């Protein structure tokens, strides 16, 4: 199909130049486009260098040396460390709290926690939307971190006051196994769920903004910007890991020594202190102007493209692809984005016709930058989507491996580690890998790949996904051995009795592998999304990673429900693979099912990553094509 080559204003009068019908001309659409200043856009006009840092009042910062950098990032690190401490502290302790205190079955407790994890991540798009559209990242964090603190206080009250929990008298381990303990009243469960989901809502607003806000503190015009950004995201995830380690050790210790109220109270105190530190750093922060509602801009592109869906690129009334002149962008907080040839149907939204007049509605005519924003958001989707399976494995390990650990010996010499401390080992492996990342991995991999950072962002995501396959496959191998050992030595019906001769530290292999996988995949993904997302949609881009995490939690619950339904046969008295009695269940089959799904997911990722082009590559290609066409025309 032929298309017109759309010339720049200095090369044309009213209509495009000669019609070219060869296949090569298709790639020229938009290399030159009309830069018109005829109409006032819906989002304002004239925001040069759309990513210019401003202070908290929205005014340009005169002296950047007094703001931002690593000092400002430290305050943000502290906030993220406390938030992750609370998040992991709840995720690992809430299953046990619901089982031992609220007298809920393990299966419903783990599903409730999975839903909490899922909501806190999947709803992150709300926080990203508010930050990019109206509030900015600073105020979004400030508001939602306060909501987070309120939820933690509510959970602390639930664990501290007897009125919020069922009667614990005459409820020993045997009664728990038989399910004969007094169940929680409906209103008690309702209260717990309400405060738990308030906490999840608070986390949802924080998560997509913190990493982006931290990255905003570095000057993108610096020659070391790429290196600084790479190190920032590694240190950022190191803080996430430290928060998790504290949750899996100190908080668990407080719970054992002082009770559930003190454990959850320590999380609330940590969150309160981090809030004060975050606000203390306010004079040092660099901010980005919110660019208006990104969802409105996306909707305008879709509507405008639909209205002009029948307009051919060869129409004689065609003026060009609409854009503002010079370096100016129509979107506050965003620089201009070069035209690309992907999703050509969306280019119809930027087709300027003579009939559009001088001041058409933004629902009929959009700028090239606005159209490219939508293209970028679509092109990004497959990469975080491929990390959903990794998050399924992480979610399953948090809940299922705890059940495995209850049947194993957790002694180190004379020291007995609580079962709920077991997830600390992935954190320790992450901590070790991040500490050795620049001294070991980068130099070695640089010799292999030639990449200055050892591996590209997508390569790191791929490495992590591959290692996650090894992790869950090993989980299946060990679980088969563990279950066979339990049946052989008479523990078939004693699934809460530890087997003294089988160490829980065999679980370390799968823990360490999934920790390494998390380092490569999640850190690479966060950096990838921040760099590739449009300027005025950085928080939305970061929310993609959180959404993938949330969908992973929901997918884990859905997979669990399907497996329980399909694998259970009441007529033959056959228990499901995920039976509460783990020694009668078949967790190994379940892990191997996840292995097969992970392999399929990895193949899809390889295909998606192979097709993806980084924005810097596309910009260079557009510039190179433009130079070639100018040379031909001259």
């Amino acid at each position: 199909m032929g298309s017109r080559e759309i010339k720049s204003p200095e090369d044309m009068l009213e209509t495009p130049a000669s019609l070219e019908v060869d296949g090569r001309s298709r790639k020229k659409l938009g290399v030159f486009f009309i830069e018109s200043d005829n109409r006032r856009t819906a989002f304002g006009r004239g925001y040069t260098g759309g990513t210019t840092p401003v202070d908290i009042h929205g005014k340009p910062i005169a002296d950047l040396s007094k703001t931002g950098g690593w000092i400002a990032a430290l305050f943000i690190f502290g906030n993220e460390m406390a938030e992750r401490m609370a998040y992991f502290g709840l995720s690992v302790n809430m299953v046990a709290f619901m089982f031992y205190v609220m007298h809920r079955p393990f299966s419903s407790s783990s599903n409730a926690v999975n839903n909490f994890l899922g909501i806190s991540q999947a709803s992150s798009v709300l926080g990203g939307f508010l930050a990019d559209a109206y509030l900015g990242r600073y105020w979004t964090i400030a508001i939602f971190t306060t909501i987070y603190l309120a939820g933690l206080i509510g959970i602390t009250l639930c664990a501290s006051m007897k009125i919020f929990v069922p009667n614990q008298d005459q409820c020993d381990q045997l009664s728990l196994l038989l399910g004969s303990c007094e169940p929680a009243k409906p209103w008690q469960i309702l209260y717990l769920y309400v405060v738990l989901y308030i906490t999840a809502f608070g986390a949802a607003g924080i998560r997509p903004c913190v990493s982006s806000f931290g990255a905003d503190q570095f000057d993108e015009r610096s020659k070391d910007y790429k290196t600084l950004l790479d190190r920032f995201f590694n240190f950022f995830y190191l803080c996430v890991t430290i928060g998790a380690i504290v949750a899996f050790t100190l908080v668990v210790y407080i719970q054992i020594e002082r009770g559930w109220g003190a454990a959850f109270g320590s999380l609330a105190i940590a969150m309160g202190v981090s809030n004060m530190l975050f606000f203390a750093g306010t004079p040092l922060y660099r901010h980005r102007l919110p660019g208006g509602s990104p969802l409105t801009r996306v909707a305008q592109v879709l509507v405008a493209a639909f209205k002009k869906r029948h307009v051919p690129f060869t129409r004689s009334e065609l003026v060009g692809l609409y854009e503002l002149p010079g370096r100016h962008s129509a979107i506050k907080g965003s620089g201009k984005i070069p035209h690309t040839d992907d999703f050509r149907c969306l280019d119809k939204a930027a087709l300027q016709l003579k009939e559009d007049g001088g001041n058409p509605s933004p629902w009929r005519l959009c700028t090239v930058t606005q159209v490219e924003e939508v293209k970028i958001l679509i092109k990004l989707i497959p990469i975080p989507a491929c990390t959903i399976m990794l998050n399924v494995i992480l979610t399953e390990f948090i809940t299922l491996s705890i059940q495995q650990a209850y049947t194993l010996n957790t002694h180190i010499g004379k020291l007995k580690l609580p079962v709920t401390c077991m997830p600390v080992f992935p954190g320790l492996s992450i901590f070790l890998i991040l500490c050795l990342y620049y001294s070991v991995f980068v130099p070695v991999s640089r010799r292999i790949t030639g990449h200055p950072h050892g591996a590209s962002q997508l390569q790191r995501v791929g490495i992590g996904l591959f290692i996650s396959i090894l992790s869950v496959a090993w989980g299946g191998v060990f679980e088969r051995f563990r279950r066979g050992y339990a049946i052989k030595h008479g523990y078939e019906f004693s699934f809460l009795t530890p087997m003294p001769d089988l160490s829980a530290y065999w679980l370390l292999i799968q823990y360490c592998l999934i920790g390494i996988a998390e380092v490569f995949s999640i850190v690479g993904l966060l950096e990838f999304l921040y760099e590739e997302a449009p300027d005025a949609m950085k928080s939305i881009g970061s929310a993609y990673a959180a959404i993938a995490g949330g969908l992973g939690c929901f997918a884990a619950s859905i997979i669990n429900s399907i497996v329980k339904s399909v694998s259970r046969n009441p007529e033959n008295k056959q228990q499901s693979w995920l039976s509460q009695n783990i020694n009668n269940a078949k967790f190994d089959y379940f892990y191997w099912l996840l292995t097969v799904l992970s392999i399929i997911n990895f193949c899809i990722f390889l295909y998606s990553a192979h097709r993806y082009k980084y924005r810097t590559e596309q910009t260079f290609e557009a510039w190179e094509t433009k130079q070639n066409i100018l040379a031909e025309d001259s």
Side-chain angles (χ1 to χ4, degrees), residues 310-628:
H310 297 307
V311 177
F313 290 116
T314 57
R315 183 168 170 174
S316 60
E317 292 85 0
L318 177 64
V319 176
L321 292 183
Y322 177 75
E323 183 57 277
L324 291 185
R327 298 173 57 195
H328 297 253
S329 170
I331 304 164
K332 183 164 49 174
S334 174
K336 289 173 71 172
I337 305 175
H339 178 270
T340 63
D341 292 290
D342 302 305
F343 305 109
R344 290 170 62 87
C345 60
L346 295 178
D347 286 330
K348 298 289 183 75
L351 285 180
Q352 186 174 15
L353 307 176
K354 291 180 179 179
E355 64 192 52
D356 287 331
N359 189 27
S361 165
W363 294 92
R364 179 171 177 82
L365 180 64
C366 304
T367 65
V368 168
T369 294
Q370 191 175 339
V371 172
E372 291 301 320
E373 278 189 330
V374 180
K375 290 183 181 180
I376 290 170
L377 290 181
I378 295 173
K379 287 185 286 188
L380 288 178
I381 289 174
I383 303 304
C386 287
T387 64
I388 291 175
M389 198 61 222
L390 170 66
N391 287 286
V392 169
I393 297 172
L394 287 168
T395 303
E396 299 291 7
F397 275 178
I398 287 176
T399 54
L400 300 183
S401 63
I402 291 294
Q403 288 180 256
Q404 289 177 290
Y406 272 114
T407 70
L408 302 171
N409 181 2
T410 59
H411 282 84
I412 300 180
K414 295 183 178 181
L415 176 65
K416 184 182 187 301
L417 286 182
V419 169
T420 46
C421 278
M422 294 303 294
V424 74
F425 291 102
L428 291 175
S429 66
I430 293 172
F431 184 85
L432 180 62
I433 292 297
L434 287 173
C435 291
L436 297 177
Y437 185 83
Y438 290 105
S439 59
V440 177
F441 172 76
V442 171
V444 172
S445 58
R446 186 186 292 135
R447 295 179 181 179
I448 300 173
T449 64
H451 195 279
H453 301 303
S456 69
Q457 295 151 357
L458 290 180
Q459 285 173 339
R460 279 184 278 168
V461 175
I463 291 171
L465 294 180
F466 177 75
I467 295 174
S468 72
I469 296 173
L470 301 180
S471 172
V472 73
W474 166 258
V477 171
F478 173 70
E479 173 56 22
R480 185 173 183 83
F481 172 77
R482 189 210 62 79
R483 181 165 57 87
Y485 184 94
I487 294 173
K488 181 179 179 181
H489 291 82
Y491 289 94
E492 188 171 358
F493 300 103
S494 304
F495 64 94
L496 288 182
T497 301
M499 296 176 282
D501 296 327
L502 190 58
S503 174
Y505 299 102
W506 284 104
L507 294 173
L508 295 189
I509 296 176
Q510 68 196 54
Y511 277 152
C512 292
L513 286 173
I514 199 63
I516 296 170
E518 199 175 350
V519 168
F520 282 99
S521 281
I522 305 302
V523 176
L525 181 65
L526 287 173
E527 185 177 344
F528 168 78
L529 291 173
Y530 181 82
E531 287 202 41
E532 296 296 300
D535 292 334
M537 294 185 178
K538 295 293 187 185
S539 298
I540 293 286
S542 297
Y544 273 12
I547 292 171
L551 293 177
C553 295
F554 290 131
S557 295
I558 293 171
I559 292 172
N560 289 353
S561 299
I562 293 174
V563 167
K564 287 177 184 177
S565 176
V566 172
S567 61
R568 184 170 178 265
N569 191 339
E571 294 180 1
N572 298 334
K573 297 183 179 180
Q574 178 181 319
Q575 298 293 321
S576 74
W577 291 359
L578 299 177
S579 171
Q580 181 162 294
N581 183 348
I582 186 175
N583 293 337
N584 276 335
K586 291 183 172 60
F587 278 26
D588 49 336
Y589 290 7
F590 183 71
Y591 281 144
W592 289 334
L593 172 63
L594 295 181
T595 302
V596 172
L597 294 176
S598 297
I599 292 172
I600 296 172
N601 176 75
F602 182 65
C603 294
I604 296 172
F605 170 79
L606 292 178
Y607 175 77
S608 302
H610 177 72
R611 289 179 55 87
Y612 187 84
K613 287 186 178 181
Y614 290 96
R615 286 178 62 188
T616 52
E617 294 176 0
Q618 290 186 319
T619 301
F620 177 77
E621 287 181 2
W623 177 86
E624 193 175 46
T625 305
K626 180 176 180 178
Q627 298 306 310
N628 292 337

Side-chain angles (χ1 to χ4, degrees), residues 216-268:
D216 288 345
Q217 306 310 310
F218 298 94
D219 187 0
E220 61 188 15
R221 293 168 294 184
S222 168
K223 63 179 181 179
D224 298 325
Y225 178 67
K226 292 282 188 181
T227 301
L228 291 172
L229 207 61
D230 182 65
R231 290 183 179 272
F232 166 78
F233 281 105
N234 276 282
F235 283 124
F236 176 83
Y237 211 71
L238 184 62
C239 292
V240 171
T241 304
I242 293 173
I245 291 173
V246 173
F248 295 140
T249 52
L250 180 60
V251 176
V252 171
Y253 174 79
I254 293 173
Q255 185 272 314
I256 293 172
E257 295 294 323
R258 300 294 181 182
W260 293 105
F264 293 135
S266 67
L267 300 179

Side-chain angles (χ1 to χ4, degrees), residues 276-326:
M276 290 188 289
L277 289 174
F278 176 77
F279 291 122
T282 299
L284 300 174
Y285 298 143
R286 297 174 184 174
H287 305 259
R288 308 286 183 181
L289 291 171
S293 171
L295 298 185
T296 300
R297 296 201 301 275
V298 171
Q300 287 174 343
V301 170
L302 298 178
V303 170
F306 180 79
K307 287 180 177 179
K308 295 181 179 178
R309 65 191 182 280
H310 297 307
V311 177
F313 290 116
T314 57
R315 183 168 170 174
S316 60
E317 292 85 0
L318 177 64
V319 176
L321 292 183
Y322 177 75
E323 183 57 277
L324 291 185

